[in-house]
Amino acid sequence: MGVTTLNPAKYGRLCADVIPKVIESDAEFDRLAAKMEELDRKASQTPEEEALSALLMKLIQDYDDLHYPLPPSPPHQIIQYLMDQRDLKQADLLPIFGSRSVASEVVTGKRAPSKAHIRKLAEFFKVSPALFI
């Protein structure tokens, strides 16, 4: 989103329409997720819509993490899952690992990713580095 100035009146109207709050039920989760998806589908968002979308994302993530935590998985399974979701091949990860052999060993679980790999994987997939630890 960057550093922008929000118009308080516009942001207030958006918030009054959505009524964002800490999510306490699956119905509220579904309502706020639908609104966030609606905002995210817009070709061009206003700064106020971007701010509301970010707030909704945080509320949704917090509820999801609290009520539906993911079971711990080894780093290689998480990497494989993220690759599958993005239709990537091992070769697409060469900039992260530097060589085919290292990429293969990490992706198959024969070798743990290094701290540098974890940092690069988190940046590449836009996820928390904690996923790979």
Side-chain angles (χ1 to χ4, degrees):
M1 185 170 90
V3 178
T4 58
T5 303
L6 296 179
N7 179 311
K10 287 182 182 178
Y11 187 67
R13 284 191 295 275
L14 282 172
C15 287
D17 180 47
V18 176
I19 309 173
K21 64 181 223 46
V22 172
I23 300 172
E24 298 174 348
S25 70
D26 285 347
E28 287 177 343
F29 176 92
D30 292 340
R31 179 181 69 83
L32 294 180
K35 184 61 181 179
M36 186 188 72
E37 289 174 6
E38 177 187 322
L39 289 170
D40 288 345
R41 279 192 297 262
K42 290 185 77 174
S44 178
Q45 291 183 335
T46 66
E48 295 79 17
E49 290 169 332
E50 287 180 12
L52 179 58
S53 182
L55 173 62
L56 295 177
M57 173 66 83
K58 175 69 173 145
L59 294 170
I60 289 164
Q61 187 68 49
D62 288 351
Y63 181 83
D64 203 35
D65 289 347
L66 182 64
H67 292 88
Y68 303 101
L70 295 174
S73 297
H76 73 280
Q77 287 182 349
I78 293 183
I79 294 168
Q80 290 170 0
Y81 173 79
L82 292 169
M83 288 172 59
D84 288 344
Q85 293 300 303
R86 291 163 176 82
D87 199 27
L88 299 173
K89 307 277 186 250
Q90 261 182 223
D92 298 319
L93 302 181
L94 285 180
I96 294 168
F97 296 110
S99 74
R100 289 186 186 276
S101 62
V102 173
S104 176
E105 290 174 353
V106 172
V107 170
T108 60
K110 294 178 184 172
R111 174 181 182 167
S114 69
K115 288 180 183 178
H117 294 152
I118 289 171
R119 188 182 75 254
K120 289 178 183 178
L121 285 164
E123 289 173 12
F124 181 81
F125 287 114
K126 297 186 181 1
V127 296
S128 169
L131 277 178
F132 306 107
I133 297 174

